[in-house]
Short mmCIF file of all heavy atoms in Angstrom, two decimals:
data_model
loop_
_atom_site.label_atom_id
_atom_site.label_comp_id
_atom_site.label_asym_id
_atom_site.label_seq_id
_atom_site.Cartn_x
_atom_site.Cartn_y
_atom_site.Cartn_z
N PHE M 46 16.62 6.79 9.24
CA PHE M 46 15.72 6.86 10.33
C PHE M 46 16.39 7.44 11.55
O PHE M 46 17.56 7.24 11.83
CB PHE M 46 15.32 5.34 10.64
CG PHE M 46 14.60 5.22 11.97
CD1 PHE M 46 13.26 5.50 12.05
CD2 PHE M 46 15.27 4.76 13.10
CE1 PHE M 46 12.60 5.39 13.23
CE2 PHE M 46 14.60 4.64 14.32
CZ PHE M 46 13.22 4.96 14.40
N VAL M 47 15.53 8.19 12.27
CA VAL M 47 16.04 8.87 13.54
C VAL M 47 15.29 8.31 14.76
O VAL M 47 15.95 7.80 15.72
CB VAL M 47 15.89 10.38 13.44
CG1 VAL M 47 16.29 11.03 14.75
CG2 VAL M 47 16.68 10.98 12.27
N ALA M 48 13.97 8.44 14.74
CA ALA M 48 13.22 8.04 15.88
C ALA M 48 11.77 7.82 15.51
O ALA M 48 11.29 8.38 14.50
CB ALA M 48 13.24 9.08 16.98
N ILE M 49 11.03 7.07 16.34
CA ILE M 49 9.59 6.81 16.14
C ILE M 49 8.84 6.86 17.43
O ILE M 49 9.36 6.37 18.43
CB ILE M 49 9.35 5.52 15.34
CG1 ILE M 49 7.89 5.31 15.05
CG2 ILE M 49 9.99 4.33 16.17
CD1 ILE M 49 7.67 4.07 14.20
N SER M 50 7.68 7.36 17.34
CA SER M 50 6.71 7.37 18.47
C SER M 50 5.54 6.56 17.90
O SER M 50 4.85 6.96 16.99
CB SER M 50 6.27 8.71 18.83
OG SER M 50 5.14 8.65 19.77
N TRP M 51 5.32 5.36 18.49
CA TRP M 51 4.30 4.51 18.00
C TRP M 51 2.92 5.02 18.38
O TRP M 51 2.70 5.59 19.48
CB TRP M 51 4.48 3.08 18.58
CG TRP M 51 5.68 2.41 18.03
CD1 TRP M 51 6.96 2.38 18.56
CD2 TRP M 51 5.78 1.65 16.74
NE1 TRP M 51 7.77 1.65 17.72
CE2 TRP M 51 7.08 1.29 16.61
CE3 TRP M 51 4.91 1.39 15.75
CZ2 TRP M 51 7.58 0.50 15.54
CZ3 TRP M 51 5.35 0.62 14.63
CH2 TRP M 51 6.63 0.23 14.57
N GLY M 52 1.95 4.82 17.49
CA GLY M 52 0.61 5.24 17.73
C GLY M 52 -0.24 4.07 18.26
O GLY M 52 0.32 3.18 18.84
N ARG M 53 -1.48 4.16 18.06
CA ARG M 53 -2.38 3.10 18.48
C ARG M 53 -2.29 2.81 19.96
O ARG M 53 -2.32 1.71 20.43
CB ARG M 53 -2.25 1.81 17.73
CG ARG M 53 -2.47 1.93 16.25
CD ARG M 53 -2.22 0.65 15.53
NE ARG M 53 -2.30 0.74 14.09
CZ ARG M 53 -3.39 0.66 13.39
NH1 ARG M 53 -4.56 0.47 13.95
NH2 ARG M 53 -3.34 0.76 12.07
N ASN M 54 -2.05 3.95 20.70
CA ASN M 54 -1.94 3.86 22.17
C ASN M 54 -0.83 2.97 22.68
O ASN M 54 -0.86 2.55 23.84
CB ASN M 54 -3.31 3.37 22.70
CG ASN M 54 -4.46 4.32 22.36
OD1 ASN M 54 -4.29 5.55 22.46
ND2 ASN M 54 -5.54 3.76 21.97
N ARG M 55 0.22 2.64 21.86
CA ARG M 55 1.25 1.87 22.37
C ARG M 55 2.17 2.69 23.28
O ARG M 55 2.73 2.16 24.29
CB ARG M 55 2.13 1.33 21.20
CG ARG M 55 1.46 0.30 20.39
CD ARG M 55 2.31 -0.15 19.23
NE ARG M 55 1.62 -1.04 18.37
CZ ARG M 55 2.15 -1.47 17.21
NH1 ARG M 55 3.32 -1.18 16.83
NH2 ARG M 55 1.40 -2.33 16.41
N GLY M 56 2.39 3.95 22.97
CA GLY M 56 3.19 4.79 23.86
C GLY M 56 4.63 4.49 23.85
O GLY M 56 5.31 4.91 24.82
N SER M 57 5.14 3.73 22.96
CA SER M 57 6.51 3.32 22.98
C SER M 57 7.32 4.07 21.95
O SER M 57 6.71 4.66 21.05
CB SER M 57 6.70 1.82 22.81
OG SER M 57 6.18 1.40 21.55
N THR M 58 8.62 4.00 22.03
CA THR M 58 9.48 4.76 21.11
C THR M 58 10.69 3.86 20.75
O THR M 58 11.05 3.01 21.45
CB THR M 58 10.05 6.06 21.76
OG1 THR M 58 10.71 5.74 22.98
CG2 THR M 58 8.90 6.99 22.10
N ASN M 59 11.31 4.20 19.65
CA ASN M 59 12.50 3.52 19.17
C ASN M 59 13.43 4.58 18.62
O ASN M 59 12.94 5.64 18.06
CB ASN M 59 12.22 2.48 18.14
CG ASN M 59 11.56 1.22 18.73
OD1 ASN M 59 10.31 1.19 18.69
ND2 ASN M 59 12.32 0.35 19.35
N TYR M 60 14.77 4.40 18.70
CA TYR M 60 15.69 5.36 18.25
C TYR M 60 16.79 4.72 17.36
O TYR M 60 17.14 3.56 17.63
CB TYR M 60 16.34 6.07 19.42
CG TYR M 60 15.39 6.87 20.29
CD1 TYR M 60 14.71 6.36 21.32
CD2 TYR M 60 15.15 8.26 19.88
CE1 TYR M 60 13.81 7.09 22.04
CE2 TYR M 60 14.23 9.01 20.64
CZ TYR M 60 13.59 8.42 21.72
OH TYR M 60 12.70 9.12 22.46
N ALA M 61 17.37 5.51 16.51
CA ALA M 61 18.60 5.07 15.82
C ALA M 61 19.67 5.08 16.87
O ALA M 61 19.72 5.90 17.78
CB ALA M 61 18.91 6.04 14.70
N VAL M 62 20.62 4.17 16.67
CA VAL M 62 21.77 4.05 17.62
C VAL M 62 22.55 5.43 17.79
O VAL M 62 22.98 5.80 18.84
CB VAL M 62 22.75 2.89 17.18
CG1 VAL M 62 24.00 2.94 18.08
CG2 VAL M 62 22.03 1.60 17.29
N SER M 63 22.66 6.12 16.65
CA SER M 63 23.43 7.32 16.59
C SER M 63 22.79 8.46 17.35
O SER M 63 23.62 9.44 17.72
CB SER M 63 23.54 7.78 15.14
OG SER M 63 22.34 8.03 14.51
N VAL M 64 21.57 8.40 17.74
CA VAL M 64 20.89 9.47 18.46
C VAL M 64 20.41 9.05 19.83
O VAL M 64 19.98 9.93 20.66
CB VAL M 64 19.77 10.14 17.67
CG1 VAL M 64 20.21 10.50 16.26
CG2 VAL M 64 18.58 9.15 17.58
N LYS M 65 20.41 7.78 20.10
CA LYS M 65 19.89 7.30 21.35
C LYS M 65 20.58 7.91 22.57
O LYS M 65 21.85 8.01 22.57
CB LYS M 65 19.97 5.79 21.45
CG LYS M 65 19.08 5.15 22.52
CD LYS M 65 19.02 3.65 22.33
CE LYS M 65 18.01 3.01 23.30
NZ LYS M 65 17.86 1.55 23.12
N GLY M 66 19.84 8.40 23.48
CA GLY M 66 20.42 9.07 24.69
C GLY M 66 20.57 10.55 24.47
O GLY M 66 20.83 11.24 25.49
N ARG M 67 20.45 11.09 23.27
CA ARG M 67 20.60 12.50 23.00
C ARG M 67 19.27 13.07 22.48
O ARG M 67 18.95 14.20 22.77
CB ARG M 67 21.74 12.73 21.91
CG ARG M 67 23.05 12.28 22.34
CD ARG M 67 24.09 12.72 21.33
NE ARG M 67 23.92 12.21 19.98
CZ ARG M 67 23.76 12.90 18.92
NH1 ARG M 67 23.78 14.23 18.98
NH2 ARG M 67 23.61 12.35 17.77
N PHE M 68 18.53 12.33 21.74
CA PHE M 68 17.29 12.76 21.18
C PHE M 68 16.13 12.12 21.86
O PHE M 68 16.18 10.95 22.31
CB PHE M 68 17.18 12.40 19.68
CG PHE M 68 18.14 13.15 18.78
CD1 PHE M 68 19.17 13.93 19.25
CD2 PHE M 68 17.98 13.09 17.38
CE1 PHE M 68 20.03 14.64 18.46
CE2 PHE M 68 18.83 13.75 16.53
CZ PHE M 68 19.87 14.52 17.06
N THR M 69 15.03 12.86 21.99
CA THR M 69 13.79 12.30 22.53
C THR M 69 12.57 12.66 21.69
O THR M 69 12.36 13.82 21.34
CB THR M 69 13.55 12.88 23.99
OG1 THR M 69 14.67 12.65 24.82
CG2 THR M 69 12.30 12.29 24.56
N VAL M 70 11.85 11.61 21.22
CA VAL M 70 10.65 11.79 20.44
C VAL M 70 9.44 11.75 21.40
O VAL M 70 9.44 10.99 22.30
CB VAL M 70 10.58 10.76 19.31
CG1 VAL M 70 10.45 9.32 19.88
CG2 VAL M 70 9.38 11.08 18.42
N SER M 71 8.49 12.66 21.06
CA SER M 71 7.24 12.66 21.85
C SER M 71 6.13 13.14 21.04
O SER M 71 6.31 13.52 19.87
CB SER M 71 7.48 13.59 23.10
OG SER M 71 7.71 14.88 22.72
N ARG M 72 4.91 13.05 21.57
CA ARG M 72 3.75 13.54 20.85
C ARG M 72 2.71 14.04 21.80
O ARG M 72 2.67 13.60 22.95
CB ARG M 72 3.20 12.33 20.00
CG ARG M 72 2.70 11.17 20.84
CD ARG M 72 2.55 9.89 19.98
NE ARG M 72 1.47 10.13 18.95
CZ ARG M 72 1.44 9.38 17.83
NH1 ARG M 72 2.31 8.43 17.60
NH2 ARG M 72 0.48 9.61 16.96
N ASP M 73 1.91 14.96 21.30
CA ASP M 73 0.75 15.46 22.05
C ASP M 73 -0.47 15.20 21.15
O ASP M 73 -0.70 15.97 20.18
CB ASP M 73 0.95 16.97 22.31
CG ASP M 73 -0.15 17.52 23.20
OD1 ASP M 73 -1.25 16.96 23.19
OD2 ASP M 73 0.10 18.51 23.86
N ASN M 74 -1.17 14.16 21.44
CA ASN M 74 -2.31 13.79 20.60
C ASN M 74 -3.39 14.83 20.65
O ASN M 74 -4.16 14.99 19.60
CB ASN M 74 -2.85 12.43 21.06
CG ASN M 74 -1.93 11.26 20.65
OD1 ASN M 74 -1.11 11.41 19.72
ND2 ASN M 74 -1.96 10.20 21.40
N ALA M 75 -3.52 15.59 21.69
CA ALA M 75 -4.56 16.63 21.78
C ALA M 75 -4.24 17.78 20.82
O ALA M 75 -5.15 18.47 20.38
CB ALA M 75 -4.66 17.15 23.21
N LYS M 76 -2.97 17.99 20.56
CA LYS M 76 -2.54 19.06 19.70
C LYS M 76 -2.16 18.57 18.30
O LYS M 76 -1.73 19.37 17.43
CB LYS M 76 -1.41 19.80 20.28
CG LYS M 76 -1.64 20.52 21.59
CD LYS M 76 -0.42 21.28 22.07
CE LYS M 76 -0.75 22.08 23.35
NZ LYS M 76 0.44 22.81 23.85
N ASN M 77 -2.29 17.24 18.05
CA ASN M 77 -1.96 16.71 16.74
C ASN M 77 -0.49 17.04 16.38
O ASN M 77 -0.26 17.43 15.21
CB ASN M 77 -2.87 17.12 15.64
CG ASN M 77 -4.28 16.44 15.81
OD1 ASN M 77 -4.48 15.58 16.66
ND2 ASN M 77 -5.21 16.88 14.95
N THR M 78 0.36 17.00 17.31
CA THR M 78 1.75 17.42 17.07
C THR M 78 2.75 16.41 17.62
O THR M 78 2.55 15.90 18.73
CB THR M 78 1.98 18.80 17.68
OG1 THR M 78 1.10 19.73 17.14
CG2 THR M 78 3.43 19.26 17.42
N ALA M 79 3.81 16.18 16.89
CA ALA M 79 4.89 15.31 17.33
C ALA M 79 6.15 16.23 17.49
O ALA M 79 6.26 17.26 16.89
CB ALA M 79 5.18 14.17 16.38
N TYR M 80 7.06 15.79 18.37
CA TYR M 80 8.23 16.60 18.68
C TYR M 80 9.47 15.68 18.64
O TYR M 80 9.46 14.54 18.85
CB TYR M 80 8.13 17.21 20.04
CG TYR M 80 6.87 18.00 20.26
CD1 TYR M 80 5.74 17.49 20.88
CD2 TYR M 80 6.85 19.34 19.88
CE1 TYR M 80 4.61 18.26 21.09
CE2 TYR M 80 5.64 20.16 20.04
CZ TYR M 80 4.57 19.56 20.66
OH TYR M 80 3.46 20.32 20.84
N LEU M 81 10.58 16.41 18.38
CA LEU M 81 11.89 15.76 18.43
C LEU M 81 12.78 16.69 19.23
O LEU M 81 13.21 17.75 18.66
CB LEU M 81 12.44 15.43 17.03
CG LEU M 81 13.77 14.67 17.12
CD1 LEU M 81 13.54 13.25 17.67
CD2 LEU M 81 14.40 14.59 15.69
N GLN M 82 13.12 16.36 20.47
CA GLN M 82 14.00 17.19 21.26
C GLN M 82 15.39 16.64 20.98
O GLN M 82 15.66 15.48 21.21
CB GLN M 82 13.65 17.05 22.75
CG GLN M 82 14.59 17.78 23.65
CD GLN M 82 14.51 19.31 23.50
OE1 GLN M 82 13.49 19.86 23.40
NE2 GLN M 82 15.73 19.95 23.42
N MET M 83 16.25 17.50 20.55
CA MET M 83 17.59 17.10 20.15
C MET M 83 18.63 17.82 21.08
O MET M 83 18.68 19.07 21.07
CB MET M 83 17.87 17.48 18.72
CG MET M 83 16.88 16.87 17.74
SD MET M 83 17.32 17.15 16.03
CE MET M 83 17.17 18.97 15.96
N ASN M 84 19.32 17.11 21.89
CA ASN M 84 20.34 17.64 22.83
C ASN M 84 21.72 17.14 22.40
O ASN M 84 21.84 16.20 21.67
CB ASN M 84 20.06 17.20 24.26
CG ASN M 84 18.66 17.72 24.70
OD1 ASN M 84 18.25 18.75 24.28
ND2 ASN M 84 18.01 16.94 25.62
N SER M 85 22.67 17.82 22.95
CA SER M 85 24.07 17.40 22.70
C SER M 85 24.34 17.23 21.19
O SER M 85 24.92 16.23 20.76
CB SER M 85 24.43 16.12 23.46
OG SER M 85 24.25 16.28 24.82
N LEU M 86 23.92 18.21 20.43
CA LEU M 86 24.03 18.07 18.99
C LEU M 86 25.46 18.10 18.50
O LEU M 86 26.34 18.71 19.08
CB LEU M 86 23.24 19.23 18.31
CG LEU M 86 21.73 19.04 18.29
CD1 LEU M 86 21.00 20.36 18.03
CD2 LEU M 86 21.35 18.01 17.26
N LYS M 87 25.68 17.31 17.47
CA LYS M 87 27.00 17.14 16.86
C LYS M 87 26.95 17.60 15.43
O LYS M 87 25.93 17.65 14.79
CB LYS M 87 27.42 15.64 16.89
CG LYS M 87 27.35 14.97 18.25
CD LYS M 87 27.66 13.53 18.16
CE LYS M 87 27.64 12.81 19.54
NZ LYS M 87 27.93 11.35 19.44
N THR M 88 28.14 17.92 14.87
CA THR M 88 28.18 18.40 13.48
C THR M 88 27.59 17.32 12.49
O THR M 88 26.89 17.72 11.53
CB THR M 88 29.60 18.70 13.08
OG1 THR M 88 30.39 17.54 13.30
CG2 THR M 88 30.12 19.91 13.85
N GLU M 89 27.69 16.08 12.86
CA GLU M 89 27.13 15.01 12.04
C GLU M 89 25.67 14.92 12.07
O GLU M 89 25.04 14.09 11.33
CB GLU M 89 27.82 13.67 12.38
CG GLU M 89 27.79 13.26 13.82
CD GLU M 89 29.11 13.62 14.52
OE1 GLU M 89 29.64 14.72 14.30
OE2 GLU M 89 29.53 12.76 15.31
N ASP M 90 25.03 15.67 12.95
CA ASP M 90 23.58 15.72 12.99
C ASP M 90 22.97 16.68 11.96
O ASP M 90 21.82 16.77 11.80
CB ASP M 90 23.09 16.13 14.35
CG ASP M 90 23.37 15.10 15.42
OD1 ASP M 90 23.21 13.89 15.20
OD2 ASP M 90 23.78 15.54 16.56
N THR M 91 23.90 17.41 11.30
CA THR M 91 23.45 18.39 10.28
C THR M 91 22.73 17.65 9.14
O THR M 91 23.27 16.69 8.57
CB THR M 91 24.63 19.15 9.71
OG1 THR M 91 25.23 19.91 10.74
CG2 THR M 91 24.23 20.01 8.55
N ALA M 92 21.47 18.03 8.90
CA ALA M 92 20.67 17.41 7.83
C ALA M 92 19.33 18.12 7.80
O ALA M 92 19.01 18.97 8.56
CB ALA M 92 20.42 15.96 8.24
N VAL M 93 18.59 17.76 6.68
CA VAL M 93 17.19 18.14 6.65
C VAL M 93 16.43 17.04 7.34
O VAL M 93 16.60 15.87 7.08
CB VAL M 93 16.74 18.25 5.16
CG1 VAL M 93 15.24 18.55 5.15
CG2 VAL M 93 17.48 19.33 4.47
N TYR M 94 15.64 17.45 8.26
CA TYR M 94 14.85 16.54 9.16
C TYR M 94 13.39 16.47 8.62
O TYR M 94 12.76 17.59 8.47
CB TYR M 94 14.87 16.98 10.56
CG TYR M 94 16.21 16.56 11.21
CD1 TYR M 94 17.35 17.25 10.92
CD2 TYR M 94 16.23 15.51 12.19
CE1 TYR M 94 18.57 16.89 11.52
CE2 TYR M 94 17.46 15.16 12.73
CZ TYR M 94 18.62 15.86 12.42
OH TYR M 94 19.82 15.53 12.99
N TYR M 95 12.89 15.31 8.44
CA TYR M 95 11.49 15.14 7.98
C TYR M 95 10.71 14.32 9.01
O TYR M 95 11.22 13.42 9.64
CB TYR M 95 11.49 14.26 6.65
CG TYR M 95 12.28 14.88 5.53
CD1 TYR M 95 13.58 14.67 5.29
CD2 TYR M 95 11.56 15.72 4.59
CE1 TYR M 95 14.27 15.16 4.25
CE2 TYR M 95 12.26 16.27 3.52
CZ TYR M 95 13.61 16.02 3.38
OH TYR M 95 14.28 16.58 2.31
N CYS M 96 9.45 14.71 9.15
CA CYS M 96 8.55 13.96 9.92
C CYS M 96 7.73 13.09 8.95
O CYS M 96 7.43 13.49 7.84
CB CYS M 96 7.69 14.73 10.81
SG CYS M 96 6.65 16.00 10.07
N ALA M 97 7.30 11.97 9.42
CA ALA M 97 6.53 11.01 8.63
C ALA M 97 5.50 10.33 9.48
O ALA M 97 5.66 10.13 10.70
CB ALA M 97 7.41 9.98 8.00
N ALA M 98 4.37 9.96 8.88
CA ALA M 98 3.31 9.28 9.63
C ALA M 98 2.83 8.10 8.84
O ALA M 98 2.84 8.08 7.58
CB ALA M 98 2.12 10.27 9.76
N GLY M 99 2.38 7.12 9.53
CA GLY M 99 1.81 5.92 8.84
C GLY M 99 1.73 4.73 9.80
O GLY M 99 1.69 4.90 11.01
N TYR M 100 1.61 3.60 9.23
CA TYR M 100 1.52 2.30 9.96
C TYR M 100 2.63 1.40 9.53
O TYR M 100 2.37 0.40 8.82
CB TYR M 100 0.13 1.69 9.68
CG TYR M 100 -1.05 2.54 10.08
CD1 TYR M 100 -1.85 3.09 9.08
CD2 TYR M 100 -1.29 2.84 11.42
CE1 TYR M 100 -2.96 3.89 9.40
CE2 TYR M 100 -2.36 3.64 11.72
CZ TYR M 100 -3.20 4.18 10.77
OH TYR M 100 -4.30 4.93 11.07
N PRO M 101 3.88 1.69 9.96
CA PRO M 101 4.94 0.83 9.51
C PRO M 101 4.90 -0.52 10.09
O PRO M 101 4.32 -0.74 11.20
CB PRO M 101 6.15 1.64 10.06
CG PRO M 101 5.67 2.36 11.28
CD PRO M 101 4.29 2.75 10.88
N ILE M 102 5.52 -1.47 9.42
CA ILE M 102 5.63 -2.86 9.94
C ILE M 102 6.65 -2.81 11.09
O ILE M 102 7.73 -2.16 10.98
CB ILE M 102 6.07 -3.79 8.84
CG1 ILE M 102 5.07 -3.80 7.71
CG2 ILE M 102 6.24 -5.20 9.38
CD1 ILE M 102 5.49 -4.56 6.52
N MET M 103 6.35 -3.54 12.19
CA MET M 103 7.24 -3.53 13.36
C MET M 103 8.67 -3.88 13.00
O MET M 103 9.65 -3.33 13.58
CB MET M 103 6.73 -4.50 14.36
CG MET M 103 5.57 -3.97 15.18
SD MET M 103 6.12 -2.69 16.39
CE MET M 103 6.98 -3.68 17.49
N SER M 104 8.84 -4.81 12.08
CA SER M 104 10.19 -5.31 11.72
C SER M 104 10.95 -4.38 10.79
O SER M 104 12.15 -4.62 10.64
CB SER M 104 10.06 -6.71 11.04
OG SER M 104 9.35 -6.63 9.88
N SER M 105 10.31 -3.33 10.28
CA SER M 105 10.98 -2.48 9.39
C SER M 105 10.58 -1.02 9.57
O SER M 105 10.41 -0.29 8.59
CB SER M 105 10.75 -2.89 7.91
OG SER M 105 9.31 -2.90 7.61
N TYR M 106 10.36 -0.56 10.80
CA TYR M 106 9.92 0.75 11.07
C TYR M 106 10.98 1.76 10.71
O TYR M 106 10.69 2.94 10.58
CB TYR M 106 9.58 0.89 12.53
CG TYR M 106 10.70 0.64 13.48
CD1 TYR M 106 11.67 1.66 13.75
CD2 TYR M 106 10.88 -0.55 14.16
CE1 TYR M 106 12.68 1.43 14.64
CE2 TYR M 106 11.90 -0.81 15.02
CZ TYR M 106 12.84 0.22 15.29
OH TYR M 106 13.85 -0.02 16.17
#
Side-chain angles (χ1 to χ4, degrees):
F46 169 79
V47 175
I49 183 174
S50 170
W51 291 95
R53 300 180 185 274
N54 300 317
R55 290 180 187 175
S57 61
T58 58
N59 292 94
Y60 297 90
V62 171
S63 59
V64 307
K65 197 168 186 177
R67 300 188 297 121
F68 291 11
T69 302
V70 61
S71 62
R72 63 196 297 159
D73 185 336
N74 289 334
K76 295 183 178 180
N77 288 356
T78 303
Y80 304 96
L81 184 67
Q82 177 67 44
M83 305 185 294
N84 299 330
S85 303
L86 283 161
K87 305 176 180 180
T88 55
E89 52 263 43
D90 294 319
T91 295
V93 176
Y94 283 71
Y95 299 89
C96 58
Y100 302 110
I102 300 172
M103 281 288 290
S104 60
S105 59
Y106 61 81

